[in-house]
Amino acid sequence: MKKPRIDISLLADSDRQRLVQRAAVLLVCLISFALAFLCMKRFGFYSTDYSPDEGHYIDMARRLLSDHVYSYWGEGPDAYTPYGYPVFLAVGMAIFGSDLNGLLCLKIVHCVLIAATVLLTYLLGKMLTGKFSVGFIACFLIAFNPSYYFYGTKLLTEPLYFFYMLLFFLTFLWANQGDKPWRYTLSGALFALAMMVRPLIVVILPFVFLPSLVRNWKKWRAFLTPLLLFLAGFVAVCLPWWIRNLVTLHQFIPLATQTNPIYAGLSPALSGLPESIYAGPAPDLTGLADPGSFSGNLKLMLQLFLDDPVGMTYWMTFGKFYIIFMQDVGTQFNALVTFIWNVNVYVGLFGALRALFTRRWWGLALVFWVYLAASFLFVPVIRYALQYLPFMAIFAGDLLVCAFTHRDEPLSQL
């Protein structure tokens, strides 16, 4: 019996166009998975050349399975890092095994997550603007950025975080565009999952509902109902971690106790970066000790600003921006990759700046800029740029489409 075939010529123009569009997005996602897999093969399926963070995460997951103890250092229970990624690894090891074959399977899962990141970037761009072209340009810029594949080969937080982060934004937008309140609960849970992988995203929490507050000023029920449902999902994910810390460590630890990335980000010398990597004045912190707490680091930062306002201001803005976004990625890959990176970053930033001063884009743009500014509190590394590139790609795609079609249809409100 012959299988029925779809005759594309019989489809309406709109149906044919949608079919071609979906096929194009699927092809980009498949290429993304293939590139991630090839990159993993290039750096060794069974490589044991782990970075310090990788080694700790792998040991944490194995301890969870064997000793049922959550510990970063292996010296008893702690809360040095949030539970998101170690528990993900532990679940993966329980399914695939904790040997090299099991770790290989987890790296393949990373490849799937990177391809999912490309798809979610497209969906978010398409949902925000209603334009296939914007979503496709955005996912193209992400799919052909080899930095995602390089870090995807590492057993680090990036692939899982990108997936949760973009899924949260997509779900939150979906909740705002519908009339089903439970969607806010789902988006709150996804926000908490993303936060428990990489806590930095918590800084946007006060801002995601700001557009709703402005729209529903004095309509408190319309504002508070989604907010409370969102917080219900958020608390449901965080509560087990909070209870565990209270019971085991006898203190309330909302996220984690690790603070050294803030301290290491106060000076190029503390970051372990050569002076040749940046230009301009930078503070000299020779002899200063790590306060060992979040509040202590903030006090130290304030004191350094008072002592050297020019050096600290330059380092905490342009100096870190250069390291995170402006290093010559072409030295690692090629000129085409550098071009794609530059379009993503510079056109995206210009689009995000333009969006901040528009009536309907300002809420989304404000969330992006707050999130971006928060990265300058920490030690600057190029892989931190990757969490911002999907949003820059959407801003870049929209700006390019508007420029070439001479139509300016603003993004949907978050």
Side-chain angles (χ1 to χ4, degrees):
M1 182 176 181
K2 293 184 178 180
K3 294 182 180 179
R5 295 191 304 170
I6 298 175
D7 189 349
I8 297 179
S9 63
L10 298 179
L11 297 176
D13 289 344
S14 59
D15 294 333
R16 190 182 306 124
Q17 183 181 31
R18 280 195 294 269
L19 183 61
V20 172
Q21 290 174 352
R22 290 171 183 173
V25 173
L26 177 60
L27 177 61
V28 171
C29 292
L30 291 175
I31 291 173
S32 176
F33 175 81
L35 291 173
F37 190 84
L38 289 173
C39 188
M40 182 179 64
K41 182 179 179 181
R42 165 66 179 81
F43 290 99
F45 282 150
Y46 298 104
S47 173
T48 56
D49 184 19
Y50 303 128
S51 68
D53 283 343
E54 280 184 286
H56 281 299
Y57 286 139
I58 293 169
D59 291 341
M60 288 179 77
R62 287 172 174 165
R63 274 193 292 271
L64 273 172
L65 293 175
S66 61
D67 303 330
H68 308 293
V69 175
Y70 186 90
S71 174
Y72 185 85
W73 299 108
E75 300 173 353
D78 60 41
Y80 189 71
T81 61
Y83 72 83
Y85 192 67
V87 169
F88 166 79
L89 284 184
V91 171
M93 288 180 183
I95 297 171
F96 303 116
S98 60
D99 57 1
L100 288 179
N101 285 323
L103 296 183
L104 172 61
C105 291
L106 282 166
K107 290 180 180 180
I108 294 175
V109 172
H110 272 196
C111 295
V112 175
L113 291 175
I114 293 295
T117 295
V118 173
L119 176 61
L120 292 174
T121 300
Y122 162 75
L123 292 174
L124 186 60
K126 175 68 165 59
M127 185 178 288
L128 280 167
T129 64
K131 302 173 185 175
F132 163 79
S133 53
V134 173
F136 189 76
I137 291 172
C139 77
F140 182 91
L141 291 173
I142 300 304
F144 292 93
N145 185 335
S147 297
Y148 283 94
Y149 308 125
F150 175 76
Y151 289 108
T153 65
K154 308 293 183 181
L155 291 174
L156 294 170
T157 59
E158 272 76 15
L160 183 64
Y161 176 71
F162 301 150
F163 177 75
Y164 281 149
M165 176 190 71
L166 289 171
L167 197 57
F168 153 68
F169 278 104
L170 195 66
T171 306
F172 189 74
L173 184 63
W174 183 46
N176 273 270
Q177 293 181 349
D179 57 355
K180 297 182 179 179
W182 63 266
R183 296 177 182 176
Y184 286 103
T185 305
L186 177 60
S187 66
L190 287 168
F191 182 88
L193 286 172
M195 184 186 72
M196 285 298 170
V197 177
R198 295 271 284 271
L200 180 61
I201 197 173
V202 73
V203 300
I204 73 169
L205 187 56
F207 298 92
V208 291
F209 277 94
L210 186 59
S212 176
L213 178 62
V214 172
R215 289 196 308 271
N216 296 300
W217 187 252
K218 295 185 178 180
K219 300 176 184 177
W220 301 118
R221 183 174 181 179
F223 168 70
L224 290 175
T225 299
L227 176 61
L228 292 175
L229 290 170
F230 179 92
L231 292 176
F234 177 84
V235 171
V237 172
C238 295
L239 195 60
W241 176 245
W242 295 342
I243 293 174
R244 177 263 179 189
N245 292 336
L246 284 171
V247 172
T248 304
L249 305 176
H250 310 294
Q251 56 181 317
F252 177 66
I253 303 172
L255 293 173
T257 59
Q258 183 182 21
T259 60
N260 62 308
I262 300 177
Y263 172 71
L266 294 177
S267 165
L270 295 176
S271 302
L273 299 168
E275 292 189 6
S276 60
I277 205 170
Y278 67 94
D284 181 11
L285 303 187
T286 305
L288 285 179
D290 185 352
S293 68
F294 181 76
S295 59
N297 275 293
L298 291 182
K299 290 178 182 178
L300 177 58
M301 185 185 301
L302 178 60
Q303 184 59 50
L304 291 170
F305 268 108
L306 295 175
D307 294 341
D308 184 11
V310 175
M312 279 296 290
T313 299
Y314 184 91
W315 167 243
M316 297 294 286
T317 53
F318 294 105
K320 290 188 177 183
F321 183 86
Y322 175 83
I323 294 170
I324 297 172
F325 290 104
M326 297 176 64
Q327 292 187 69
D328 185 10
V329 294
T331 59
Q332 300 179 24
F333 302 106
N334 56 51
L336 178 60
V337 171
T338 302
F339 175 76
I340 291 174
W341 179 282
N342 289 340
V343 169
N344 200 340
V345 171
Y346 301 120
V347 179
L349 281 176
F350 186 80
L353 183 63
R354 161 184 169 269
L356 192 60
F357 298 98
T358 58
R359 184 174 61 87
R360 297 191 63 189
W361 285 44
W362 70 269
L364 171 66
L366 179 63
V367 169
F368 168 78
W369 285 108
V370 168
Y371 187 33
L372 177 64
S375 68
F376 298 148
L377 290 174
F378 299 90
V379 59
V381 290
I382 193 171
R383 68 187 176 102
Y384 286 176
L386 301 183
Q387 61 195 320
Y388 302 107
L389 293 184
F391 307 107
M392 292 180 178
I394 293 170
F395 283 122
D398 188 76
L399 189 61
L400 290 171
V401 169
C402 290
F404 285 101
T405 61
H406 307 291
R407 291 186 302 173
D408 187 5
E409 299 175 6
L411 289 176
S412 302
Q413 190 73 273
L414 271 185

